Amino acid sequence: MSVDENMVRRIANLARIGVTDGELPALAKELSAIIGFVEQLSELDTDGVKPLTSAVEDRIRGREDIVTDGGYAEDVLANAPEKDDEYFAVPKVVE
Amino acid sequence: MTDLTQLNLADARDGLAKKQFSAVELTQAHIDRVSASSALNAYVLETPEKALAMAAESDAKIAAGEARPLEGLPIGVKDLFCTKGVRTTACSNILGDFTPPYESTVTQNLWNDGAVMLGKLNNDEFAMGSSNETSRFGPVVNPWKAGDTALVPGGSSGGSSAAVAARLGIAATATDTGGSIRQPAAFTGTVGLKPTYGRCSRWGIVAFASSFDQAGPITHTVRDAAMMLSSMASFDKRDTTSVERDVPNYEAALTGDIKGLRVGIPQEYRVDNMPAEIEKLWQQGIEWLKAAGAEIVDVSLPHTKYALPAYYIIAPAEASSNLARYDGVRYGARQQGTDIDDMYAQTRAAGFGDEVKRRVMIGTYALSAGYYDAYYVKALQVRRLIAEDFTKAYEKCDVLLTPTTPSAAFEIGKNVEDPLEMYLNDVFTVTVNLAGLPGISVPAGLDGDGLPLGLQLIGQAFGEETLLRTAGVLEQAAGFDAQPQDWWSA
């Protein structure tokens, strides 16, 4: 299956990556080539095969639901592009 | 005094113990060499003051008779590992001048054992690449050359492999998601060990594809790799996939005795267009292990050809999820936008390079409504078939022997325009990540152009001791002692 320019625009929007109209043709070509490559998998019969999500199949460890870390807002905010007091600052979302 | 940068890790340790030189002298020798090596572009950040302070502390420990396992040994750190107070970027613009307020578990383990940090090493952006050409800091140049042609050092751990090969650090940390330790090791005549998934903590390592990512060392020798792994490996509660298991003394596993060991040769690794030199080296490797008393067994890994396509769905899918965090809000470089959504889109457009964008978009596509079952779930099913191939093969053998790469190091720029051609570099290494197994690349010879070639051994899950023992025998038989001619020192 090939990826057309509309599909690239849709994927880019889902991925929150800004693309210009000028970039669409090249991206469509590159993504189509990769999708074409991975489509080899359709040759294989995988009916009834359980998906393998991790090489470590043990149950994820639980732990007590208690605070074990934190209390250093200054460190957490140290790399913020914009901050306001103890908060990350972003462009206004609600009018 | 002899050139201290010529020492391997084990010899430097022994020299320090015998007080033949000090940790400060050893570190200074490396700092001087690093500062003259900008032509290689292996380091993206040098930390000489920190290194000398750590080395001075090591000298005090040695003087007090309290030397730790890696006391005073200067190493480089891939820029994917978070280092407290030291800029960490994963070689992506989107991380800006991110300076972690915490230290990754693996590097903390190394510092706890006395190692000295020389600086941060170049890599492909977010470890996505096989040539170290996608870094925001530009490509790393392989210290090895074919004539006058500048070659890639492999990737994504190209700074690590180049640094060790050029003796800009006695060892280096690296990470391997689809071959990123073993392929660059093969391209630079160094040893690269990717441990079993879960052996080293992923905490504090910038995530690419979390179900594959695993830290390991690049070193001069198999013994050095064993020393590094003994320190890097640990159980860590902060990584939910860290496996609770004692860390053996891997160096003690290097007995040199592989009599009766069953070595599997997977027939599917004889791929089309493989250079005759690599085929020949593989055969030579078989002969070396046989001569050491191993039994050679033909095995089949029937789904090998589907490993790369499965990987190029699963890894981008995980990457698209992991990299969602880079939105210009909490850290890194922000671009202004017309509203918050546009701010995200502009930040990510400016901050990610082309290869990262491609992979995030492929992953987004594979996970999107209508395509999830056809691509993502299908790839996970194939992943199980590939893992089961190994389980069946290990009923007949103890380790597997294969080439590490289908070619020697290639020219800078050769595969940049063709992502698929670049992906094929990992054809022999990526199966190991899908199955979560340990693998090691050992330098085994030179090709007709005088470039190093590696052989790969693949072990069973948590079979690092057998893997290292076999690698030690292979190393001994190959007797690889070639070094690149120094053309880069300024």
Side-chain angles (χ1 to χ4, degrees):
Chain A
M1 158 155 184
S2 76
V3 177
D4 63 18
E5 294 182 22
N6 278 332
M7 181 58 88
V8 175
R9 202 179 274 120
R10 195 175 94 86
I11 302 168
N13 182 46
L14 285 172
R16 296 291 185 272
I17 295 176
V19 292
T20 62
D21 286 350
E23 292 173 293
L24 292 175
L27 275 168
K29 198 169 150 232
E30 287 166 7
L31 298 186
S32 292
I34 297 169
I35 295 295
F37 173 69
V38 300
E39 274 180 347
Q40 291 175 60
L41 297 186
S42 60
E43 297 164 22
L44 273 177
D45 179 5
T46 52
D47 276 357
V49 177
K50 202 172 147 222
L52 179 65
T53 49
S54 170
V56 177
E57 288 200 275
D58 298 347
R59 202 169 56 85
I60 288 180
R61 287 183 302 277
R63 64 166 178 84
E64 266 187 86
D65 186 14
I66 48 165
V67 176
T68 58
D69 201 5
Y72 34 69
E74 205 176 305
D75 281 355
V76 174
L77 288 159
N79 285 283
E82 266 186 69
K83 58 193 162 192
D84 187 355
D85 194 17
E86 285 196 350
Y87 299 92
F88 295 107
V90 296
K92 199 170 184 179
V93 179
V94 183
E95 288 302 328
Chain B
M1 196 187 292
T2 54
D3 179 359
L4 295 178
T5 63
Q6 286 294 314
L7 297 169
N8 62 37
L9 209 58
D11 290 342
R13 172 189 58 189
D14 298 347
L16 284 168
K18 289 181 193 150
K19 308 216 167 50
Q20 290 167 345
F21 45 84
S22 70
V24 166
E25 286 167 338
L26 181 65
T27 298
Q28 188 64 54
H30 284 88
I31 289 171
D32 292 345
R33 198 163 164 82
V34 169
S35 66
S37 73
S38 59
L40 295 175
N41 202 25
Y43 278 85
V44 297
L45 186 71
E46 295 168 28
T47 55
E49 285 164 20
K50 189 178 175 75
L52 287 171
M54 292 172 97
E57 194 191 320
S58 286
D59 280 331
K61 286 269 187 195
I62 294 167
E66 294 167 359
R68 298 162 290 179
L70 298 176
E71 197 68 74
L73 301 173
I75 62 171
V77 174
K78 187 178 183 179
D79 204 30
L80 225 59
F81 292 81
C82 285
T83 40
K84 188 174 182 174
V86 176
R87 190 192 68 188
T88 301
T89 69
C91 296
S92 177
N93 277 317
I94 208 158
L95 269 153
D97 285 324
F98 179 66
T99 305
Y102 50 83
E103 185 80 26
S104 84
T105 299
V106 164
T107 47
Q108 188 63 55
N109 288 345
L110 289 165
W111 315 143
N112 288 348
D113 276 353
V116 167
M117 179 166 88
L118 290 167
K120 302 301 287 286
L121 294 163
N122 209 333
N123 51 251
D124 278 297
E125 183 181 5
F126 285 111
M128 297 182 194
S130 305
S131 63
N132 212 125
E133 291 171 289
T134 70
S135 164
R136 94 184 219 201
F137 300 103
V140 175
V141 183
N142 194 329
W144 293 84
K145 274 190 167 180
D148 288 333
T149 309
L151 305 172
V152 304
S156 66
S157 309
S160 304
S161 68
V164 173
R167 300 188 175 265
L168 312 176
I170 312 187
T173 71
T175 61
D176 191 316
T177 304
S180 284
I181 291 176
R182 293 159 287 155
Q183 184 254 18
F187 278 13
T188 56
T190 54
V191 173
L193 170 63
K194 176 222 156 325
T196 308
Y197 184 78
R199 179 74 288 190
C200 294
S201 170
R202 292 181 295 107
W203 195 84
I205 300 174
V206 176
F208 160 16
S210 303
S211 82
F212 301 134
D213 296 345
Q214 184 60 204
I218 291 182
T219 57
H220 290 300
T221 67
V222 173
R223 179 173 299 276
D224 291 0
M227 284 172 66
M228 285 287 283
L229 183 63
S230 296
S231 288
M232 292 169 76
S234 64
F235 168 62
D236 184 4
K237 283 182 179 169
R238 292 178 296 186
D239 171 1
T240 53
T241 57
S242 171
V243 172
E244 192 162 7
R245 202 179 166 107
D246 289 341
V247 179
N249 176 353
Y250 290 109
E251 215 182 334
L254 303 175
T255 61
D257 181 6
I258 58 160
K259 279 191 193 66
L261 184 87
R262 298 168 305 164
V263 178
I265 309 300
Q267 57 187 26
E268 289 80 5
Y269 279 57
R270 288 180 208 285
V271 296
D272 294 342
N273 305 324
M274 187 156 83
E277 285 167 316
I278 290 181
E279 174 72 41
K280 201 177 139 204
L281 186 70
W282 191 12
Q283 197 54 48
Q284 178 67 67
I286 293 170
E287 298 304 324
W288 283 331
L289 294 180
K290 206 191 279 182
E295 181 193 337
I296 305 298
V297 189
D298 283 319
V299 297
S300 175
L301 300 169
H303 297 95
T304 297
K305 71 174 275 208
Y306 299 105
L308 270 179
Y311 176 83
Y312 274 98
I313 295 173
I314 302 168
E318 294 187 15
S320 74
S321 170
N322 271 326
L323 271 57
R325 75 191 68 183
Y326 303 105
D327 56 7
V329 174
R330 287 155 297 167
Y331 33 68
R334 175 189 292 190
Q335 302 295 320
Q336 300 307 320
T338 51
D339 56 23
I340 193 163
D341 271 328
D342 191 49
M343 185 273 278
Y344 296 149
Q346 297 312 323
T347 294
R348 291 162 66 80
F352 291 147
D354 289 344
E355 180 61 18
V356 172
K357 285 180 190 169
R358 267 196 289 275
R359 296 205 197 185
V360 168
M361 290 176 72
I362 287 289
T364 303
Y365 178 73
L367 291 174
S368 66
Y371 300 97
Y372 183 85
D373 287 330
Y375 291 104
Y376 183 61
V377 174
K378 181 82 180 182
L380 292 178
Q381 290 174 312
V382 174
R383 181 178 187 183
R384 182 174 298 277
L385 296 177
I386 288 163
E388 286 173 355
D389 281 355
F390 281 104
T391 308
K392 283 177 198 143
Y394 284 133
E395 287 168 5
K396 292 168 67 181
C397 66
D398 305 302
V399 294
L400 297 161
L401 176 72
T402 78
T404 309
T405 56
S407 76
F410 48 87
E411 201 176 325
I412 290 178
K414 182 171 173 255
N415 291 330
V416 168
E417 298 301 322
D418 188 349
L420 286 175
E421 196 60 38
M422 189 70 90
Y423 296 171
L424 293 177
N425 266 286
D426 293 332
V427 64
F428 297 143
T429 48
V430 74
T431 50
V432 170
N433 301 80
L434 288 164
L437 301 172
I440 189 168
S441 179
V442 177
L446 297 174
D447 74 1
D449 293 325
L451 297 176
L453 295 171
L455 287 173
Q456 173 179 236
L457 289 159
I458 303 171
Q460 302 183 45
F462 295 98
E464 276 86 354
E465 289 165 283
T466 302
L467 185 70
L468 286 160
R469 178 159 54 244
T470 315
V473 170
L474 194 62
E475 175 185 53
Q476 178 99 32
F480 184 92
D481 59 3
Q483 282 195 40
Q485 214 178 348
D486 184 347
W487 52 266
W488 60 85
S489 286

